[in-house]
């Protein structure tokens, strides 16, 4: 889980580097804000890319750095939901471009 948390910490840096293109990619319904479902769906793509054997579990050899215990898709998505709520500083249930670009609290 530590490797997972470390990987998710770099998300705000990636958002800043890619600017509004990433925000618009996440905002699949085009309403100018990102819902929890949109965030989790988009960010789950990372899990699917890492899960080379497509068994729904990231083993240590599939994790960044090759360390850590197994991580299931549910654990991955539960962590994403926690990160979403940390990023949602005004607690309106959506992320603005500014909220998405800030590091989690």
């Amino acid at each position: 889980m530590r490797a997972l948390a470390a990987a998710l910490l770099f998300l705000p840096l990636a958002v800043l580097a890619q600017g509004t293109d990433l925000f618009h990619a996440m905002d699949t319904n085009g309403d100018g804000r990102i819902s929890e479902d949109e965030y989790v769906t988009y960010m789950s793509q990372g899990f699917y890319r890492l899960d080379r054997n497509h068994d729904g579990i990231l083993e240590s050899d599939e994790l960044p750095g090759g360390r850590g215990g197994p991580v299931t898709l549910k654990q991955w998505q539960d962590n994403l939901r926690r990160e979403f709520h940390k990023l949602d500083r005004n607690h309106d249930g959506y992320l603005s471009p500014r909220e998405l670009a800030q590091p989690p609290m």
Side-chain angles (χ1 to χ4, degrees):
M1 287 303 268
R2 199 173 292 149
L4 171 63
L8 290 176
L9 283 177
F10 291 106
L11 170 65
L13 298 176
V15 171
L16 287 173
Q18 295 182 15
T20 59
D21 291 340
L22 181 58
F23 183 86
H24 292 298
M26 287 182 160
D27 182 19
T28 56
N29 66 3
D31 67 354
R33 56 192 188 168
I34 297 171
S35 69
E36 181 178 329
D37 286 341
E38 287 173 318
Y39 181 82
V40 171
T41 298
Y42 186 89
M43 295 303 294
S44 292
Q45 292 176 38
F47 181 94
Y48 300 123
R49 279 193 297 276
L50 291 171
D51 186 16
R52 293 187 301 270
N53 63 3
H54 309 290
D55 66 352
I57 300 170
L58 297 180
E59 301 294 340
S60 59
D61 66 326
E62 294 173 311
L63 290 169
R67 297 184 183 167
V71 177
T72 66
L73 177 59
K74 181 180 179 342
Q75 290 170 315
W76 180 276
Q77 290 179 335
D78 287 347
N79 197 52
L80 289 172
R81 285 184 181 86
R82 283 189 295 276
E83 291 302 317
F84 176 89
H85 291 286
K86 288 179 185 177
L87 290 168
D88 182 16
R89 301 269 167 80
N90 67 359
H91 308 290
D92 67 351
Y94 297 93
L95 299 180
S96 67
R98 183 180 180 137
E99 286 173 318
L100 186 63
Q102 293 179 15
M105 294 176 16

